[in-house]
Amino acid sequence: KYMNFSRYYREAFDPNIMKKKVVSLLLAAAMTTAALAGCGSSNGSSSSDASTGADSTSATSASASTDGEKKDAAGEKIAMITDSGDITDESFNQITWETVCAYGDANGVEYEYYKPAEDTDEERINSIDLAVSEGATVVVMPGYLFGPAIAEEQDTYPDVTFIAVDVTEGDIVKNGKAVDLGKNVYICSFEEEQAGYLAGYAAVKDGYTSLGFLGGIAVPAVIRFGYGYVQGINAAAEEDGVDVNVKYYYGGQFYGDDSITARMEGWYADGTQVVFACGGGIWTSALDAAETHDGKVIGVDVDQRSKIGERCLTSAMKGLPSAINNALDSYFSGNFSELGGTAQQLGLKDGDYIGLPTDSESWGFTTFTQDQYETVLAGIRDGSIEISSDTENQPEVGSHVTVDYIS
């Protein structure tokens, strides 16, 4: 059952604290160490003093250098490049890094992360250059910002494998023009509309009738989350015959600030009961306002209960660990040719790539049950529940739902 998917985030990693040094792109030297709960400590080291798992005595997934052959872990290194955030962001960067840590430790593969000096394509490219110069054979990257860097570097390093999650073919551009994926590149994105649908449906089934959606920047992934959320709200409202109102707004950024907090305070003061905060650190504004007005917040991407606390009703999650592990397994088993050059969009029909956290600590619902949740999951998987992925047109709603799209 999907219950195991949410436990993955808390239990799959060694609870010891690992210290890793951030690599400076300008000086190519170690910067200050960053402590991250979740990555097991290890004894190996690289030229930049990063901790590794290269000295592990066994590997659960075999590892060698030509496609079709298992790869030798001793000759391999996984590099993870952060996007504009860092490995303690409680979101994509952190879960990607924790997944790389766990994979490296389990399989005896050295690993290291690199943080670009600035939030620019040039610095992301510099990070890849540095990682490869220090022996990286596989580069893992989270987020659409890496599209131009992949377009530039895939041909520069044909013998390096690139794995990018939450990236689409439309992101792979060079000089403003689309570029075909190289055979050494695998990218995937997710059917976020399914996760949004689950969150909206569950919230209404749990008795909430005044809801909000606070998006970050209106990029396709955020829009799919939001429009899926509206569709789930509508489905539950129609089933139960209850009237629901929704406020819908894009903050235009992936972080919270005073102005967004003020807007959220207005929402909660006006009767909004729960806000789906979808976009990096923008949840901080929703939480600040929720604490003032005794409201609830829905997290995104990963189980954010540990960060948001008891005000977290649920989280609309993507299965980043599964996607990354599957791609790494493909590479180290010598079967990357099956994935290389492809772009996948992963949803529930493909596996447990979408869901809500079901651990008792993260299940914030009082009347919506896990049996009901499993029924909805099954309906999405078998196609009996249809969810539109259209990002150009606002979803249609029935007579019980009113959506206020705020510009």
Side-chain angles (χ1 to χ4, degrees):
K1 286 194 173 183
Y2 211 78
M3 190 177 301
N4 290 333
F5 177 61
S6 62
R7 288 199 183 102
Y8 186 92
Y9 290 96
R10 277 191 292 275
E11 299 176 2
F13 310 109
D14 188 323
N16 295 325
I17 294 177
M18 174 195 292
K19 288 186 177 179
K20 285 264 183 180
K21 290 188 176 179
V22 179
V23 177
S24 168
L25 298 178
L26 299 177
L27 302 176
M31 293 174 65
T32 56
T33 58
L36 173 64
C39 291
S41 61
S42 54
N43 299 321
S45 63
S46 74
S47 59
S48 56
D49 277 342
S51 299
T52 73
D55 58 343
S56 300
T57 57
S58 63
T60 58
S61 294
S63 314
S65 53
T66 59
D67 206 41
E69 296 181 16
K70 293 180 179 179
K71 299 191 180 297
D72 180 4
E76 302 291 334
K77 179 180 178 180
I78 305 170
M80 181 256 174
I81 316 291
T82 65
D83 62 3
S84 59
D86 57 45
I87 59 170
T88 59
D89 65 359
E90 299 283 340
S91 190
F92 266 28
N93 287 294
Q94 181 166 340
I95 198 60
T96 299
W97 175 235
E98 289 177 346
T99 302
V100 167
C101 289
Y103 193 94
D105 287 340
N107 295 283
V109 183
E110 182 182 356
Y111 52 86
E112 184 174 352
Y113 79 86
Y114 297 79
K115 182 177 179 179
E118 297 177 353
D119 181 17
T120 64
D121 292 335
E122 180 180 3
E123 289 303 328
R124 281 182 278 275
I125 289 170
N126 286 343
S127 286
I128 295 172
D129 290 341
L130 181 58
V132 174
S133 74
E134 295 186 346
T137 54
V138 186
V139 178
V140 180
M141 300 159 285
Y144 71 95
L145 291 174
F146 283 99
I150 293 169
E152 178 70 29
E153 299 287 74
Q154 62 179 358
D155 293 329
T156 303
Y157 303 110
D159 295 327
V160 174
T161 295
F162 297 96
I163 297 169
V165 292
D166 215 40
V167 177
T168 67
E169 286 184 284
D171 299 320
I172 311 300
V173 295
K174 186 175 183 178
N175 298 323
K177 297 182 179 179
V179 174
D180 291 336
L181 289 176
K183 295 299 183 182
N184 57 333
V185 177
Y186 166 71
I187 63 175
C188 69
S189 57
F190 299 88
E191 297 184 45
E192 291 91 355
E193 67 275 8
Q194 295 179 354
Y197 182 101
L198 289 167
Y201 183 91
V204 173
K205 285 291 185 178
D206 206 51
Y208 294 93
T209 58
S210 184
L211 298 91
F213 176 81
L214 171 61
I217 299 172
V219 295
V222 173
I223 297 172
R224 286 194 295 269
F225 267 124
Y227 284 3
Y229 182 60
V230 172
Q231 291 176 73
I233 289 169
N234 183 66
E238 292 297 311
E239 287 178 9
D240 292 352
V242 297
D243 293 333
V244 178
N245 64 78
V246 183
K247 291 182 172 68
Y248 194 108
Y249 175 72
Y250 297 110
Q253 60 196 44
F254 289 128
Y255 55 90
D257 64 15
D258 290 344
S259 64
I260 294 176
T261 299
R263 183 182 291 273
M264 292 301 101
E265 287 179 345
W267 283 14
Y268 284 113
D270 193 40
T272 297
Q273 299 161 304
V274 58
V275 172
F276 180 15
C278 178
I282 205 166
W283 62 268
T284 59
S285 283
L287 178 59
D288 288 346
E291 289 178 335
T292 302
H293 297 279
D294 195 26
K296 293 287 187 178
V297 177
I298 294 173
V300 73
D301 292 334
V302 299
D303 183 358
Q304 291 192 305
R305 177 77 174 200
S306 63
K307 192 71 174 179
I308 296 174
E310 293 184 356
R311 297 204 179 277
C312 186
L313 179 65
T314 189
S315 298
M317 302 192 304
K318 303 177 184 180
L320 269 75
S322 296
I324 294 168
N325 281 325
N326 288 345
L328 289 173
D329 276 342
S330 178
Y331 173 78
F332 283 101
S333 66
N335 295 312
F336 192 77
S337 61
E338 298 174 2
L339 289 181
T342 67
Q344 295 182 328
Q345 189 172 33
L346 304 172
L348 285 169
K349 291 182 180 180
D350 305 296
D352 287 342
Y353 290 108
I354 298 292
L356 306 180
T358 54
D359 282 3
S360 59
E361 297 173 3
S362 299
W363 188 262
F365 305 111
T366 55
T367 58
F368 181 65
T369 69
Q370 292 195 16
D371 284 342
Q372 289 176 294
Y373 172 65
E374 293 292 340
T375 299
V376 182
L377 283 181
I380 297 173
R381 285 195 183 101
D382 66 24
S384 59
I385 295 176
E386 297 183 359
I387 307 170
S388 172
S389 61
D390 183 1
T391 59
E392 299 296 325
N393 301 289
Q394 297 167 356
E396 296 182 3
V397 296
S399 60
H400 288 288
V401 176
T402 301
V403 185
D404 181 12
Y405 290 96
I406 303 167
S407 58

